[in-house]
Amino acid sequence: MRINKYIASCGIASRRKAEELINDGRVSVNGKIITELSFQVDEVKDIVEIDGEKIGLDEKEVYIVLNKPEGYITTVKDQFDRPSVLDLITDIKERIYPVGRLDYETSGLLLLTNDGDLTYKLTHPKHEIDKTYMAIVKGVPTNEEIENFEKGLYIEDYKTAPAKFKIVKINEEKNYSICQIKIHEGRNRQVRKMCRAINHPVLRLRRVAMGKITLKETEVGSYRHLTNDEIKYLKGIK
């Protein structure tokens, strides 16, 4: 089995992220650093380590949905020593990782799993899985601004894919709108950048669904295991 696929199968990271680990010299097989992406692993005999810690295929697959609070990062750690979403996972012994990302200031639905192949599928742009957000934005977007948002906006060096934008409630006194936004891309801080591009910056942002997966009754800072039907649905996405 190719080394990147092996790492993904162990639930450590997606294949793409696994390649980064290999290129960074963090992966060793039988005590030797491996930098060749095509390296073949014998999953029975070889000892594979990442940063000196042994990994293997014997862990059971775990799938959870977390209601992420604001003020948590979706990486293991960062240079500012901010709290990670993994700090909220207290009773799962398997090493699980977020599927995609949710920025520090954004709350809501975040999937975590040790199924590397599923992570790769769900984060690959070709699958176009809708991500639904509830956003409080400054002011009241006009019909023209909403149309521009939905058709796609030029942000930095790219144009966003078609999206959906619906005003749910308007507070004229305090000059803000509550909006439902659906996108299927996952670029860094994309919803915030898109709202800023139509001159209605985000005041608060919460993700409420990913495809058909919702938070249900999960409280902020808590998580639940996905049902068998939910796991089947995610694995069946083409």
Side-chain angles (χ1 to χ4, degrees):
M1 185 186 298
R2 282 172 64 100
I3 183 68
N4 63 331
K5 183 177 181 181
Y6 179 83
I7 293 172
S9 298
C10 291
I12 304 302
S14 69
R15 294 189 195 184
R16 190 183 311 165
K17 183 63 178 179
E19 290 179 358
E20 294 179 16
L21 295 173
I22 296 164
N23 287 330
D24 290 343
R26 297 171 60 186
V27 179
S28 66
V29 178
N30 302 327
K32 181 181 178 181
I33 297 294
I34 300 299
T35 56
E36 178 55 57
L37 298 179
S38 62
F39 185 88
Q40 296 290 316
V41 172
D42 183 329
E43 52 264 41
V44 176
K45 297 180 180 179
D46 288 337
I47 297 175
V48 181
E49 296 175 312
I50 297 178
D51 296 333
E53 185 172 344
K54 184 180 177 181
I55 64 173
L57 296 171
D58 55 347
E59 292 186 336
K60 71 175 183 179
E61 293 180 332
V62 176
Y63 308 87
I64 67 170
V65 57
L66 168 73
N67 190 345
K68 174 190 174 298
E70 296 176 5
Y72 282 77
I73 59 171
T74 53
T75 51
V76 177
K77 59 182 178 179
D78 71 350
Q79 59 180 325
F80 304 110
D81 221 16
R82 296 177 293 183
S84 164
V85 293
L86 297 177
D87 297 332
L88 300 169
I89 313 301
T90 57
D91 64 351
I92 295 176
K93 71 178 188 302
E94 290 81 9
R95 296 177 61 181
I96 57 175
Y97 294 87
V99 177
R101 57 193 165 199
L102 212 52
D103 72 60
Y104 181 73
E105 299 166 325
T106 300
S107 64
L109 186 148
L110 181 69
L111 295 176
L112 297 99
T113 183
N114 57 356
D115 185 337
D117 284 337
L118 181 62
T119 297
Y120 176 78
K121 175 194 287 189
L122 296 180
T123 54
H124 197 288
K126 76 175 184 179
H127 295 294
E128 299 189 354
I129 301 167
D130 277 344
K131 302 172 184 69
T132 306
Y133 297 82
M134 297 303 297
I136 301 176
V137 303
K138 187 175 182 180
V140 182
T142 65
N143 289 336
E144 182 181 0
E145 289 168 335
I146 292 173
E147 183 179 351
N148 289 336
F149 187 103
E150 293 189 326
K151 290 197 303 187
L153 300 163
Y154 286 97
I155 297 176
E156 297 167 352
D157 59 347
Y158 66 93
K159 183 179 180 181
T160 61
K164 296 179 181 179
F165 189 109
K166 180 173 71 173
I167 297 177
V168 176
K169 184 178 180 181
I170 295 172
N171 188 317
E172 294 182 355
E173 181 183 352
K174 295 186 178 180
N175 191 33
Y176 70 77
S177 305
I178 300 176
C179 308
Q180 183 189 77
I181 296 170
K182 289 188 179 183
I183 65 172
H184 60 252
E185 295 175 294
R187 296 176 185 266
N188 186 35
R189 299 176 68 84
Q190 183 174 334
V191 171
R192 294 179 183 275
K193 291 176 181 178
M194 291 177 74
C195 290
R196 193 181 307 123
I198 61 169
N199 300 312
H200 295 281
V202 167
L203 303 176
R204 296 198 68 176
L205 185 62
R206 180 170 178 256
R207 185 158 70 191
V208 296
M210 187 170 177
K212 296 179 181 179
I213 307 299
T214 63
L215 288 165
K216 296 185 177 178
E217 302 300 319
T218 310
E219 296 181 357
V220 175
S222 299
Y223 54 91
R224 67 174 179 85
H225 290 266
L226 295 187
T227 66
N228 289 335
D229 285 344
E230 288 173 323
I231 295 169
K232 185 177 179 180
Y233 156 70
L234 290 174
K235 289 189 173 184
I237 292 173
K238 302 298 183 181

